[in-house]
């Protein structure tokens, strides 16, 4: 029997023993026409009290979360936010345009982050002291690259850092990771749109994606594998485009290894 099981077993045994004694005493002292059940009330009171006093470790804990956001008017997208939980559940929101004439197309995606990438993010957060203290370099005459915000939250900590450029190595690395992840997810978003509404645009988009991969500007390509696979298996797409999508899938596999 495990320790928690033994604890509850002993608790109910003690409570049950008190119930028996209390019930016998009650039957002896009270008139037969009246039935009291003080033992049951005492048992409920003991259980309620213990549930309130359970240590935090016994209760289900919420996963830790790291969030990165960028606000950079004039860039594409001009705003996005990525949230990654320690259990791998992740979200991406952006206002990137799907066409030059668009005023912005709000986009929301939920996906599962690979354990490897999730572990890197949380390792970098730890190395950056969970973004506590001063993160921005505060150097003058630096070109603006957008307002960046990193947030860390867990059961006992909630910290936020806003910066343009940081000299902290771990902050630089996690920033680059999130920016590359956004680039990947925006490619996936556009491929989804073009595959549905504008198949002739797929070839150029895949060329751009291939170039970005060659520059190591992509991250977590597993998140866009489903759309690449749909393009490969879609016989209505011309063969050169399907072949390019297949090469991107193979590249994603090599990057993962």
């Amino acid at each position: 029997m495990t320790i928690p099981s033994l604890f509850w077993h002993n608790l109910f045994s003690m409570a049950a023993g008190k119930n028996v004694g209390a019930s016998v005493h009650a039957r002896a002292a009270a008139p037969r026409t009246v039935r009291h059940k003080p033992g049951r009330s005492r048992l409920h009171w003991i259980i309620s009290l213990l549930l309130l006093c359970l240590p935090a470790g016994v209760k289900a804990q919420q996963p830790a979360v790291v969030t990165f956001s960028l606000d950079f008017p004039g860039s594409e997208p001009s705003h996005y936010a990525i949230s990654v939980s320690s259990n791998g559940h992740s979200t991406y929101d952006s206002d990137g345009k799907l066409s030059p004439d668009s005023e912005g197309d709000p986009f929301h995606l939920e996906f599962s982050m690979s354990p490897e990438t999730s572990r890197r993010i949380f390792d970098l957060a730890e190395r950056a002291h969970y973004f506590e203290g001063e993160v921005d370099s505060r150097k003058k005459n630096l070109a603006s690259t957008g307002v960046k915000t990193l947030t860390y939250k867990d059961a006992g900590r909630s910290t936020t850092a806003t910066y343009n450029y940081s000299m902290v190595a771990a902050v630089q690395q996690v920033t680059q990771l999130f920016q590359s992840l956004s680039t990947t997810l925006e490619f996936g978003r556009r491929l989804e749109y073009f595959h549905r509404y504008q198949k002739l645009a797929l070839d150029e988009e895949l060329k751009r994606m291939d170039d970005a991969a060659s520059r190591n500007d992509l991250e977590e390509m597993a998140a866009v594998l489903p759309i690449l696979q749909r393009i490969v298996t879609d016989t209505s797409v011309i063969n050169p485009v399907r072949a390019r999508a297949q090469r991107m899938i193979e590249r994603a596999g090599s990057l993962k290894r």
Side-chain angles (χ1 to χ4, degrees):
M1 183 179 294
T2 63
I3 292 176
S5 301
L6 182 61
F7 168 78
W8 288 108
H9 174 76
N10 291 340
L11 169 65
F12 281 105
S13 297
M14 290 187 294
K18 291 181 179 181
N19 291 350
V20 172
S23 299
V24 171
H25 178 74
R27 286 197 297 269
R32 293 185 179 276
T33 56
V34 180
R35 295 182 179 180
H36 295 286
K37 297 183 179 180
R40 178 175 297 178
S41 299
R42 181 177 298 177
L43 175 60
H44 287 177
W45 180 83
I46 291 173
I47 292 174
S48 299
L49 180 62
L50 286 171
L51 288 174
L52 289 174
C53 297
L54 280 175
V58 177
K59 301 176 182 179
Q61 292 186 355
Q62 293 295 320
V65 178
V66 173
T67 300
F68 174 82
S69 66
L70 174 66
D71 290 278
F72 193 8
S75 65
E76 185 56 40
S78 62
H79 166 81
Y80 67 84
I82 306 172
S83 182
V84 181
S85 299
S86 55
N87 61 11
H89 180 262
S90 306
T91 62
Y92 177 70
D93 293 272
S94 85
D95 63 358
K97 297 179 180 180
L98 289 171
S99 67
D101 299 330
S102 171
E103 295 183 356
D105 302 283
F107 176 64
H108 175 77
L109 174 70
E110 298 194 17
F111 64 102
S112 294
M113 182 79 71
S114 69
E116 296 80 8
T117 304
S118 178
R119 186 160 48 246
R120 284 171 56 200
I121 290 171
F122 283 90
D123 286 348
L124 288 169
E126 182 178 8
R127 286 166 51 191
H129 306 292
Y130 302 104
F131 319 126
E132 292 180 330
E134 186 60 63
V135 168
D136 193 274
S137 67
R138 293 194 176 277
K139 287 188 175 182
K140 296 181 179 179
N141 301 322
L142 282 177
S144 173
T145 56
V147 178
K148 306 169 189 69
T149 303
L150 280 166
T151 301
Y152 180 89
K153 289 185 179 181
D154 63 17
R157 183 184 285 109
S158 179
T159 52
T160 299
T162 300
Y163 58 102
N164 172 50
Y165 175 77
S166 178
M167 296 292 291
V168 181
V171 172
Q172 292 177 355
Q173 293 173 45
V174 78
T175 299
Q176 182 59 53
L177 191 158
F178 277 120
Q179 290 179 320
S180 296
L181 178 56
S182 172
T183 299
T184 304
L185 297 176
E186 289 294 330
F187 270 118
R189 177 193 186 191
R190 289 190 296 270
L191 288 174
E192 289 273 8
Y193 178 82
F194 294 147
H195 182 236
R196 178 174 295 186
Y197 300 110
Q198 198 175 343
K199 287 184 170 65
L200 292 178
L202 285 172
D203 191 40
E204 185 61 31
E205 190 68 15
L206 284 167
K207 287 179 181 177
R208 294 177 59 246
M209 188 177 185
D210 194 16
D211 290 341
S214 299
R215 297 190 304 269
N216 295 318
D217 287 343
L218 301 183
E219 187 70 54
E220 192 68 10
M221 286 185 64
V224 298
L225 284 180
I227 178 57
L228 290 172
Q229 290 166 343
R230 284 196 294 274
I231 293 171
V232 168
T233 58
D234 186 353
T235 56
S236 69
V237 175
I238 61 175
N239 288 335
V241 172
R242 296 168 65 191
R244 194 179 296 279
Q246 181 61 45
R247 287 196 294 273
M248 290 303 302
I249 291 174
E250 294 167 359
R251 180 188 285 271
S254 65
L255 291 177
K256 184 176 181 181
R257 289 192 295 271

